[in-house]
Amino acid sequence: MIERLPPDPRMIALPTELRNAIAQALNAVPETRWLNAARALSDQYRNLHSANAAPIMRTRLDALGYAALLMPATYAQLYGAMHAAAALVPSWQPKTMLDMGSGPGTALWAATVCWQSLHDLTAWEREPMLIALGRDFARASTNPALRHACWVQRNLSTPIERRVAFDLVVLGHVLGEIPPEERDAVVASAWRMTHGMLLIVEPGTPGGFSVVRAARDRLLADGAVTIAPCAHNLPCPLNDDWCHFPQRLRRPEFQRRARGAPSPWEDAKYSYAALARFPPERPIWGRVILEPSFNKAYAEVLISSRDGIVRHRALKRDRDAFRWVKHLEWGQTLEEKP
């Protein structure tokens, strides 16, 4: 029986070609094997002694476990960050992209949905098994950019000799998995190769936000301009809190099985920073950084704005203002001060 969800404009799903490619790869092995691989991977992430590490993908089954367990939510997080950045530079049409620490190419798929102008994709990845799986998935696409993407086995800590510039450079779920002492060098290398925009995405946790915040501070010092999520180029004004956003995802059946999660959807939370060598076309006053709350007396929303962190409250007796705050969405941009 297929469970039908009510329409939700905030909900996305994996691209059909990617979902089918993952399902086909999983169907090629006994179900118990890829389920066990997914559960073992989940256990590894929970038991890592250092937050600055990631399990090594030694076999194709390891890579399949990753695709089933983590790839859908990672896609949602990357898509959410890309979509938010693209909305503020609508006329920007990148043609070339570098995905640093690509895994099985998750960011490539999300980027070609958000920027259909992309035609030259390069993926750097350390693990051969993830490269092989990513190539298999890309060959299932009808998009020539994905089918002909250039895959390079590379450790990001290796010095970069050549000077090649890309319109879009992505560090997705990368910086948090490398030692802190290596992060500045990786961010600096990524920025040198960025002709247009550098996008950094991490899980929406206090630790993930801390990594993004430090990278943004470093890039601002190098002259980068903030596109999203911030409405300014100042240091983050948040204290004792973290900035993160949800992207609602329709879970594919294989992910629900891998996670042992019956819910047909999830809110994949992420922290991100999009910085560029050009200003946003649509400057904003602020962005909603938490789900609005309300009670019998008032509705309240937290906004990161050009004026700092603003907690805006509307009393219930002011019906229009109360209704406006109540229906704001987490991550929504505001062009004017309320």
Side-chain angles (χ1 to χ4, degrees):
M1 177 178 177
I2 298 175
E3 185 170 0
R4 299 193 179 277
L5 298 176
D8 185 342
R10 297 171 298 173
M11 182 105 62
I12 66 163
L14 283 182
T16 301
E17 291 175 336
L18 177 57
R19 186 189 69 233
N20 291 343
I22 297 173
Q24 184 176 351
L26 295 174
N27 288 338
V29 299
E31 182 178 285
T32 54
R33 297 188 68 193
W34 66 260
L35 280 175
N36 287 338
R39 290 163 186 160
L41 180 64
S42 179
D43 289 341
Q44 287 182 63
Y45 269 106
R46 280 198 299 267
N47 297 321
L48 284 173
H49 296 297
S50 170
N52 313 311
I56 297 174
M57 304 287 132
R58 293 186 174 87
T59 67
R60 183 173 176 85
L61 263 178
D62 291 339
L64 287 173
Y66 176 93
L69 182 74
L70 299 175
M71 198 169 179
T74 301
Y75 174 89
Q77 293 164 341
L78 289 161
Y79 172 90
M82 291 175 180
H83 186 264
L88 297 182
V89 285
S91 70
W92 185 59
Q93 298 294 307
K95 295 178 172 57
T96 61
M97 171 183 173
L98 171 63
D99 186 10
M100 300 176 69
S102 183
T106 316
L108 304 183
W109 287 86
T112 51
V113 171
C114 293
W115 289 289
Q116 297 182 17
S117 56
L118 286 167
H119 64 74
D120 186 346
L121 308 177
T122 300
W124 289 358
E125 171 54 42
R126 180 189 64 183
E127 304 291 346
M129 291 300 172
L130 289 176
I131 292 174
L133 193 63
R135 279 177 169 151
D136 288 347
F137 294 161
R139 291 190 190 105
S141 174
T142 55
N143 186 325
L146 282 165
R147 291 178 62 86
H148 302 295
C150 174
W151 293 80
V152 179
Q153 184 181 0
R154 186 182 189 101
N155 190 319
L156 297 186
S157 63
T158 304
I160 300 169
E161 304 85 9
R162 51 183 182 157
R163 295 294 183 93
V164 181
F166 299 84
D167 295 334
L168 173 66
V169 178
V170 177
L171 286 166
H173 289 228
V174 171
L175 294 178
E177 295 186 346
I178 63 176
E181 63 271 14
E182 296 180 9
R183 290 175 190 160
D184 272 359
V186 171
V187 171
S189 294
W191 184 238
R192 284 196 299 271
M193 292 184 292
T194 300
H195 177 68
M197 182 189 298
L198 171 58
L199 181 70
I200 298 168
V201 184
E202 289 290 330
T205 63
F209 169 67
S210 176
V211 170
V212 172
R213 182 178 191 164
R216 178 178 178 270
D217 287 345
R218 191 206 187 290
L219 290 164
L220 289 176
D222 286 344
V225 178
T226 300
I227 301 296
C230 312
H232 55 77
N233 288 310
L234 301 172
C236 177
L238 275 176
N239 292 312
D240 302 321
D241 203 349
W242 76 98
C243 181
H244 62 297
F245 303 92
Q247 175 58 62
R248 187 154 294 180
L249 168 73
R250 186 186 299 271
R251 285 173 166 162
E253 175 63 22
F254 57 77
Q255 187 201 21
R256 292 166 66 180
R257 294 183 66 79
R259 286 183 178 267
S263 173
W265 63 272
E266 70 174 278
D267 280 333
K269 305 258 178 55
Y270 60 95
S271 294
Y272 77 104
L275 298 110
R277 297 190 184 276
F278 51 80
E281 296 171 40
R282 291 181 49 222
I284 61 173
W285 174 79
R287 188 182 298 270
V288 177
I289 58 171
L290 200 62
E291 190 79 28
S293 60
F294 56 93
N295 55 36
K296 294 180 180 180
Y298 59 83
E300 190 173 74
V301 64
L302 193 66
I303 301 168
S304 175
S305 76
R306 290 198 297 262
D307 303 326
I309 300 300
V310 175
R311 192 175 294 276
H312 181 73
R313 179 177 291 183
L315 299 179
K316 192 168 185 178
R317 64 173 177 262
D318 187 347
R319 292 184 179 181
D320 289 341
F322 180 87
R323 189 180 300 112
W324 179 79
V325 171
K326 182 178 176 180
H327 289 96
L328 287 173
E329 293 185 1
W330 190 353
Q332 183 176 337
T333 58
L334 304 174
E335 296 186 3
E336 298 180 1
K337 185 176 182 178

